[in-house]
């Protein structure tokens, strides 16, 4: 799900922090719906399937964090 106030997109199992990833969203991040229309971060709802193109690095924190470049809603 998306957190517009803090610029985060949380993915994975919400009940298991070891099976999660946090993506940082910036003004340069492109967020698209299933039809490739640009949408705001808050349009992504919990449970939706997304594809995230992100940096090749991530933090060592649990859950790890990485900057997102492109987010595509799949379902």
């Amino acid at each position: 799900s998306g957190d517009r106030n803090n610029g985060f997109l949380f993915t994975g199992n919400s009940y298991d922090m070891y099976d999660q990833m946090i993506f940082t969203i910036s003004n340069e991040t492109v967020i698209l719906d299933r039809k490739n229309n640009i949408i705001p971060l808050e349009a992504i709802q919990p449970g939706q399937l997304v594809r995230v193109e992100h940096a090749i690095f991530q933090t060592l924190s649990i859950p790890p964090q990485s900057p997102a470049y492109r987010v595509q809603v799949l379902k």
Side-chain angles (χ1 to χ4, degrees), residues 13-21 62-64:
N13 181 347
S14 60
Y15 300 104
D16 182 0
M17 75 171 109
Y18 294 99
D19 189 26
Q20 296 175 1
M21 181 90 177
I62 296 175

Side-chain angles (χ1 to χ4, degrees), residues 20-67:
Q20 296 175 1
M21 181 90 177
I22 298 174
F23 296 101
T24 53
I25 305 297
S26 71
N27 291 334
E28 288 78 38
T29 304
V30 176
I31 304 172
L32 304 169
D33 67 10
R34 290 178 283 193
K35 296 179 182 178
N36 290 320
N37 298 307
I38 294 176
I39 59 171
L41 176 60
E42 61 268 18
I44 299 175
Q45 299 299 312
Q48 285 189 295
L49 183 63
V50 296
R51 175 183 302 130
V52 181
E53 294 175 18
H54 60 92
I56 59 172
F57 60 87
Q58 62 190 31
T59 64
L60 295 176
S61 61
I62 296 175
Q65 296 183 33
S66 184

